[in-house]
Amino acid sequence: MNLDIIWNGFLEAVRKTSFIDSAEKKLITGIPFLYIKTDGSADRTKIEEEIKLRSIQAMKGKRLNAEISYFRTDSHLYVYRFRFLVPQQKMFCCGNLCVDCIRYHR
């Protein structure tokens, strides 16, 4: 699954929000951070609700989860650690006769 496509759709949807001026993803030491600059009319809870709503829309029909953690604020810039998580489940048979082999699931 290519998460870049999901990230691009998510960021486009967030940018279309009326009170958000810009939104971008930055990878810092391999950890994705979401930088959101607002016009000052929204508080932190409203921004987080909007992020959750847009992430749900981006994940619709896919087996993903989202994890969001508030990191810091600098005037109208909000920074979150935000990740789309793929479930850790075996997707193929490795041939080792595992008890939880994918072949036994329907």
Side-chain angles (χ1 to χ4, degrees):
M1 178 179 300
N2 190 354
L3 289 179
D4 290 334
I5 296 169
I6 295 165
W7 265 102
N8 291 337
F10 167 70
L11 289 173
E12 277 184 39
V14 170
R15 288 180 189 127
K16 290 180 182 175
T17 305
S18 62
F19 56 84
I20 294 178
D21 292 337
S22 67
E24 65 178 298
K25 170 190 164 187
K26 290 185 182 180
L27 276 177
I28 300 173
T29 64
I31 300 170
F33 286 90
L34 182 62
Y35 283 72
I36 295 181
K37 187 167 181 86
T38 66
D39 60 5
S41 65
D43 61 345
R44 181 177 153 195
T45 56
K46 188 174 180 182
I47 293 168
E48 289 177 4
E49 287 174 7
E50 191 66 27
I51 292 171
K52 289 175 187 175
L53 177 69
R54 301 302 177 186
S55 66
I56 290 169
Q57 291 172 349
M59 295 183 302
K60 192 170 188 171
K62 298 164 186 71
R63 295 181 61 195
L64 291 173
N65 294 319
E67 179 184 89
I68 181 171
S69 301
Y70 173 77
F71 195 69
R72 67 180 167 92
T73 302
D74 183 21
S75 71
H76 298 303
L77 177 70
Y78 293 84
V79 181
Y80 294 92
R81 191 178 116 201
F82 185 85
R83 299 188 307 165
F84 286 109
L85 302 171
V86 179
Q88 295 197 2
Q89 179 179 347
K90 285 178 74 174
M91 302 303 283
F92 62 91
C93 175
C94 62
N96 290 333
L97 303 174
C98 302
V99 177
D100 63 341
C101 185
I102 192 72
R103 294 179 300 148
Y104 301 133
H105 298 267
R106 290 184 181 211

